Amino acid sequence: MAEKTELIEQFRQNYLDHLQTETYNEHEFNDEAASISILEFEDVVPECRLYFSLGLSSYSDKVGIKSELFAASSGEWEVIPSLLASLLITFVSLEMPIVDGQAIGGIENISDEFIQNTGKSSIYFTEPMNVPETLGMLYLPSTQRLLTMGVFITQSEHDFLVENGPDAFEEKMAEMNVSPFDIHRPSAV
């Protein structure tokens, strides 16, 4: 337990050092399967909030990665922390691996209102993209990469991803100049 707590605190300090802020909100979520916190940073990127999980790395034996999740959003701030935590706790409880290039639906089981407001029904996992290089390349001793990015996507984007693969999907996002931070953006496909 002490090792898990130490790892979580290393992640927390790494976030604070790289984001150069001490101001954040911490949202804690506890379930039989897992305890996950979501740190919410308001003043790092204009008109956007950044979200970082704490605790996911403690369940690497269940989800296959020893990293934390990063997401960003230009809105829907009141629901994002619980949405991310619910998704991560589900991954841990079902022992589902989190893999770059993978998208998972099921947001409707957590918040229909989120889907109605944004049109986003899935979350896509990838290496951090369109972020400052220092943020995407955070490392801790004995880990490969600190962050896996979660990007909320539409059903049509999810379908395109399944049909064409992650490289084609990310090329399409780049071609359409899609910001992964804009939660209310139109679909790229």
Side-chain angles (χ1 to χ4, degrees):
M1 184 68 166
E3 184 179 312
K4 284 185 179 183
T5 302
E6 183 178 320
L7 181 63
I8 289 169
E9 290 311 312
Q10 282 182 304
F11 275 103
R12 181 191 313 272
Q13 193 56 53
N14 221 328
Y15 296 155
L16 298 176
D17 291 347
H18 281 81
L19 297 175
Q20 299 180 349
T21 184
E22 292 286 330
T23 306
Y24 63 91
N25 296 315
E26 184 167 355
H27 307 271
E28 296 181 21
F29 302 90
N30 297 299
D31 185 89
E32 290 177 18
S35 293
I36 302 283
S37 291
I38 304 294
L39 303 186
E40 176 182 32
F41 294 87
E42 295 182 31
D43 298 321
V44 178
V45 176
E47 300 178 21
C48 190
R49 292 189 188 174
L50 304 180
Y51 300 90
F52 296 86
S53 69
L54 274 181
L56 180 63
S57 57
S58 300
Y59 303 100
S60 60
D61 59 323
K62 298 188 186 301
V63 296
I65 59 170
K66 194 167 196 167
S67 72
E68 295 290 341
L69 183 74
F70 157 70
S73 179
S74 60
E76 304 302 316
W77 299 322
E78 61 285 340
V79 71
I80 299 279
S82 62
L83 183 61
L84 289 173
S86 293
L87 288 166
L88 295 178
I89 288 170
T90 298
F91 271 85
V92 171
S93 68
L94 298 176
E95 297 189 19
M96 292 174 53
I98 295 175
V99 179
D100 283 353
Q102 166 190 38
I104 299 295
I107 290 176
E108 67 277 359
N109 297 324
I110 302 167
S111 178
D112 269 334
E113 185 178 350
F114 177 83
I115 296 172
Q116 291 171 6
N117 291 344
T118 67
K120 311 302 181 290
S121 58
S122 300
I123 190 166
Y124 173 66
F125 298 109
T126 186
E127 290 186 35
M129 59 179 159
N130 296 347
V131 297
E133 190 172 318
T134 56
L135 185 58
M137 301 304 290
L138 300 180
Y139 291 90
L140 290 175
S142 77
T143 63
Q144 294 296 317
R145 185 179 79 225
L146 174 63
L147 294 176
T148 295
M149 186 172 184
V151 179
F152 293 103
I153 63 173
T154 65
Q155 185 61 51
S156 59
E157 290 169 332
H158 189 163
D159 294 344
F160 181 91
L161 171 67
V162 169
E163 188 173 309
N164 299 285
D167 291 339
F169 175 67
E170 290 194 20
E171 285 174 20
K172 187 69 162 174
M173 298 273 282
E175 174 188 315
M176 300 302 291
N177 199 27
V178 168
S179 168
F181 294 4
D182 184 358
I183 196 72
H184 296 106
R185 67 173 171 75
S187 179
V189 295

mmCIF file of all heavy atoms in Angstrom, residues 32-53:
data_model
loop_
_atom_site.group_PDB
_atom_site.id
_atom_site.type_symbol
_atom_site.label_atom_id
_atom_site.label_comp_id
_atom_site.label_asym_id
_atom_site.label_seq_id
_atom_site.Cartn_x
_atom_site.Cartn_y
_atom_site.Cartn_z
ATOM 1 N N GLU A 32 -15.748 -0.569 -4.997
ATOM 2 C CA GLU A 32 -15.160 -1.831 -4.536
ATOM 3 C C GLU A 32 -13.955 -2.218 -5.379
ATOM 4 O O GLU A 32 -12.992 -2.782 -4.881
ATOM 5 C CB GLU A 32 -16.204 -2.954 -4.601
ATOM 6 C CG GLU A 32 -17.300 -2.835 -3.585
ATOM 7 C CD GLU A 32 -18.334 -3.937 -3.750
ATOM 8 O OE1 GLU A 32 -18.051 -4.971 -4.402
ATOM 9 O OE2 GLU A 32 -19.441 -3.760 -3.212
ATOM 10 N N ALA A 33 -14.008 -1.908 -6.672
ATOM 11 C CA ALA A 33 -12.954 -2.331 -7.602
ATOM 12 C C ALA A 33 -11.733 -1.426 -7.578
ATOM 13 O O ALA A 33 -10.613 -1.891 -7.799
ATOM 14 C CB ALA A 33 -13.503 -2.385 -9.025
ATOM 15 N N ALA A 34 -11.934 -0.123 -7.317
ATOM 16 C CA ALA A 34 -10.812 0.808 -7.440
ATOM 17 C C ALA A 34 -11.111 2.135 -6.761
ATOM 18 O O ALA A 34 -12.268 2.507 -6.574
ATOM 19 C CB ALA A 34 -10.507 1.060 -8.911
ATOM 20 N N SER A 35 -10.032 2.827 -6.442
ATOM 21 C CA SER A 35 -10.102 4.212 -5.978
ATOM 22 C C SER A 35 -9.322 5.050 -6.980
ATOM 23 O O SER A 35 -8.140 4.813 -7.203
ATOM 24 C CB SER A 35 -9.469 4.360 -4.590
ATOM 25 O OG SER A 35 -10.228 3.676 -3.639
ATOM 26 N N ILE A 36 -10.025 6.002 -7.576
ATOM 27 C CA ILE A 36 -9.439 6.863 -8.598
ATOM 28 C C ILE A 36 -9.751 8.306 -8.237
ATOM 29 O O ILE A 36 -10.882 8.627 -7.873
ATOM 30 C CB ILE A 36 -10.029 6.558 -9.997
ATOM 31 C CG1 ILE A 36 -9.829 5.107 -10.407
ATOM 32 C CG2 ILE A 36 -9.505 7.540 -11.042
ATOM 33 C CD1 ILE A 36 -8.455 4.734 -10.874
ATOM 34 N N SER A 37 -8.759 9.159 -8.357
ATOM 35 C CA SER A 37 -8.983 10.599 -8.229
ATOM 36 C C SER A 37 -8.784 11.231 -9.595
ATOM 37 O O SER A 37 -7.989 10.756 -10.406
ATOM 38 C CB SER A 37 -7.995 11.228 -7.241
ATOM 39 O OG SER A 37 -8.267 10.813 -5.928
ATOM 40 N N ILE A 38 -9.516 12.300 -9.822
ATOM 41 C CA ILE A 38 -9.338 13.103 -11.038
ATOM 42 C C ILE A 38 -8.934 14.503 -10.583
ATOM 43 O O ILE A 38 -9.663 15.153 -9.839
ATOM 44 C CB ILE A 38 -10.627 13.164 -11.889
ATOM 45 C CG1 ILE A 38 -11.122 11.760 -12.261
ATOM 46 C CG2 ILE A 38 -10.412 14.050 -13.112
ATOM 47 C CD1 ILE A 38 -10.211 10.974 -13.190
ATOM 48 N N LEU A 39 -7.749 14.925 -11.030
ATOM 49 C CA LEU A 39 -7.288 16.281 -10.750
ATOM 50 C C LEU A 39 -7.746 17.174 -11.895
ATOM 51 O O LEU A 39 -7.559 16.843 -13.063
ATOM 52 C CB LEU A 39 -5.768 16.334 -10.618
ATOM 53 C CG LEU A 39 -5.136 15.437 -9.563
ATOM 54 C CD1 LEU A 39 -3.638 15.731 -9.468
ATOM 55 C CD2 LEU A 39 -5.803 15.594 -8.216
ATOM 56 N N GLU A 40 -8.323 18.311 -11.539
ATOM 57 C CA GLU A 40 -8.862 19.250 -12.523
ATOM 58 C C GLU A 40 -8.092 20.560 -12.423
ATOM 59 O O GLU A 40 -8.065 21.191 -11.374
ATOM 60 C CB GLU A 40 -10.344 19.473 -12.234
ATOM 61 C CG GLU A 40 -11.019 20.479 -13.107
ATOM 62 C CD GLU A 40 -12.489 20.666 -12.713
ATOM 63 O OE1 GLU A 40 -12.822 20.537 -11.508
ATOM 64 O OE2 GLU A 40 -13.280 20.949 -13.610
ATOM 65 N N PHE A 41 -7.459 20.959 -13.538
ATOM 66 C CA PHE A 41 -6.673 22.189 -13.595
ATOM 67 C C PHE A 41 -7.401 23.183 -14.488
ATOM 68 O O PHE A 41 -7.682 22.898 -15.649
ATOM 69 C CB PHE A 41 -5.274 21.907 -14.150
ATOM 70 C CG PHE A 41 -4.438 21.048 -13.252
ATOM 71 C CD1 PHE A 41 -4.503 19.664 -13.335
ATOM 72 C CD2 PHE A 41 -3.591 21.613 -12.307
ATOM 73 C CE1 PHE A 41 -3.730 18.860 -12.503
ATOM 74 C CE2 PHE A 41 -2.823 20.822 -11.469
ATOM 75 C CZ PHE A 41 -2.894 19.435 -11.570
ATOM 76 N N GLU A 42 -7.679 24.367 -13.947
ATOM 77 C CA GLU A 42 -8.476 25.364 -14.665
ATOM 78 C C GLU A 42 -7.661 26.405 -15.413
ATOM 79 O O GLU A 42 -8.119 26.927 -16.416
ATOM 80 C CB GLU A 42 -9.404 26.099 -13.686
ATOM 81 C CG GLU A 42 -10.445 25.209 -13.066
ATOM 82 C CD GLU A 42 -11.374 25.971 -12.142
ATOM 83 O OE1 GLU A 42 -11.620 27.171 -12.383
ATOM 84 O OE2 GLU A 42 -11.846 25.358 -11.169
ATOM 85 N N ASP A 43 -6.503 26.774 -14.964
ATOM 86 C CA ASP A 43 -5.819 27.947 -15.494
ATOM 87 C C ASP A 43 -4.525 27.635 -16.221
ATOM 88 O O ASP A 43 -3.594 28.430 -16.200
ATOM 89 C CB ASP A 43 -5.532 28.924 -14.342
ATOM 90 C CG ASP A 43 -6.816 29.404 -13.691
ATOM 91 O OD1 ASP A 43 -7.790 29.642 -14.424
ATOM 92 O OD2 ASP A 43 -6.848 29.519 -12.449
ATOM 93 N N VAL A 44 -4.470 26.499 -16.892
ATOM 94 C CA VAL A 44 -3.248 26.112 -17.603
ATOM 95 C C VAL A 44 -3.387 26.401 -19.096
ATOM 96 O O VAL A 44 -2.472 26.932 -19.717
ATOM 97 C CB VAL A 44 -2.920 24.628 -17.363
ATOM 98 C CG1 VAL A 44 -1.695 24.208 -18.139
ATOM 99 C CG2 VAL A 44 -2.724 24.366 -15.867
ATOM 100 N N VAL A 45 -4.530 26.085 -19.678
ATOM 101 C CA VAL A 45 -4.821 26.314 -21.087
ATOM 102 C C VAL A 45 -6.047 27.224 -21.159
ATOM 103 O O VAL A 45 -7.060 26.935 -20.512
ATOM 104 C CB VAL A 45 -5.103 24.975 -21.822
ATOM 105 C CG1 VAL A 45 -5.510 25.207 -23.261
ATOM 106 C CG2 VAL A 45 -3.893 24.062 -21.734
ATOM 107 N N PRO A 46 -5.984 28.319 -21.918
ATOM 108 C CA PRO A 46 -7.136 29.226 -21.993
ATOM 109 C C PRO A 46 -8.406 28.513 -22.467
ATOM 110 O O PRO A 46 -8.374 27.693 -23.379
ATOM 111 C CB PRO A 46 -6.696 30.283 -23.020
ATOM 112 C CG PRO A 46 -5.204 30.206 -23.042
ATOM 113 C CD PRO A 46 -4.853 28.776 -22.724
ATOM 114 N N GLU A 47 -9.524 28.834 -21.823
ATOM 115 C CA GLU A 47 -10.851 28.318 -22.172
ATOM 116 C C GLU A 47 -10.941 26.799 -22.175
ATOM 117 O O GLU A 47 -11.703 26.199 -22.941
ATOM 118 C CB GLU A 47 -11.287 28.880 -23.530
ATOM 119 C CG GLU A 47 -11.371 30.391 -23.530
ATOM 120 C CD GLU A 47 -11.747 30.959 -24.885
ATOM 121 O OE1 GLU A 47 -12.321 30.217 -25.712
ATOM 122 O OE2 GLU A 47 -11.457 32.138 -25.104
ATOM 123 N N CYS A 48 -10.145 26.172 -21.336
ATOM 124 C CA CYS A 48 -10.088 24.719 -21.306
ATOM 125 C C CYS A 48 -9.692 24.264 -19.902
ATOM 126 O O CYS A 48 -9.010 25.001 -19.186
ATOM 127 C CB CYS A 48 -9.037 24.261 -22.312
ATOM 128 S SG CYS A 48 -9.030 22.505 -22.617
ATOM 129 N N ARG A 49 -10.129 23.106 -19.546
ATOM 130 C CA ARG A 49 -9.671 22.494 -18.297
ATOM 131 C C ARG A 49 -8.967 21.184 -18.618
ATOM 132 O O ARG A 49 -9.361 20.464 -19.526
ATOM 133 C CB ARG A 49 -10.836 22.246 -17.341
ATOM 134 C CG ARG A 49 -11.426 23.557 -16.836
ATOM 135 C CD ARG A 49 -12.411 23.362 -15.736
ATOM 136 N NE ARG A 49 -13.054 24.640 -15.447
ATOM 137 C CZ ARG A 49 -14.057 24.792 -14.613
ATOM 138 N NH1 ARG A 49 -14.550 23.735 -13.983
ATOM 139 N NH2 ARG A 49 -14.584 25.975 -14.405
ATOM 140 N N LEU A 50 -7.931 20.914 -17.853
ATOM 141 C CA LEU A 50 -7.158 19.692 -18.013
ATOM 142 C C LEU A 50 -7.502 18.746 -16.874
ATOM 143 O O LEU A 50 -7.669 19.181 -15.728
ATOM 144 C CB LEU A 50 -5.662 19.993 -18.001
ATOM 145 C CG LEU A 50 -5.162 21.009 -19.018
ATOM 146 C CD1 LEU A 50 -3.656 21.182 -18.878
ATOM 147 C CD2 LEU A 50 -5.533 20.603 -20.427
ATOM 148 N N TYR A 51 -7.585 17.463 -17.186
ATOM 149 C CA TYR A 51 -7.943 16.430 -16.214
ATOM 150 C C TYR A 51 -6.886 15.342 -16.231
ATOM 151 O O TYR A 51 -6.503 14.866 -17.296
ATOM 152 C CB TYR A 51 -9.309 15.828 -16.552
ATOM 153 C CG TYR A 51 -10.405 16.858 -16.547
ATOM 154 C CD1 TYR A 51 -10.729 17.565 -17.693
ATOM 155 C CD2 TYR A 51 -11.086 17.147 -15.375
ATOM 156 C CE1 TYR A 51 -11.719 18.534 -17.678
ATOM 157 C CE2 TYR A 51 -12.073 18.115 -15.353
ATOM 158 C CZ TYR A 51 -12.380 18.807 -16.509
ATOM 159 O OH TYR A 51 -13.358 19.769 -16.478
ATOM 160 N N PHE A 52 -6.438 14.951 -15.042
ATOM 161 C CA PHE A 52 -5.436 13.905 -14.891
ATOM 162 C C PHE A 52 -5.908 12.925 -13.834
ATOM 163 O O PHE A 52 -6.315 13.335 -12.748
ATOM 164 C CB PHE A 52 -4.092 14.492 -14.446
ATOM 165 C CG PHE A 52 -3.478 15.424 -15.442
ATOM 166 C CD1 PHE A 52 -3.809 16.768 -15.461
ATOM 167 C CD2 PHE A 52 -2.564 14.956 -16.370
ATOM 168 C CE1 PHE A 52 -3.242 17.637 -16.386
ATOM 169 C CE2 PHE A 52 -1.985 15.814 -17.294
ATOM 170 C CZ PHE A 52 -2.331 17.151 -17.299
ATOM 171 N N SER A 53 -5.847 11.658 -14.156
ATOM 172 C CA SER A 53 -6.216 10.646 -13.161
ATOM 173 C C SER A 53 -5.063 10.445 -12.193
ATOM 174 O O SER A 53 -3.900 10.684 -12.518
ATOM 175 C CB SER A 53 -6.576 9.320 -13.836
ATOM 176 O OG SER A 53 -5.436 8.714 -14.421
#
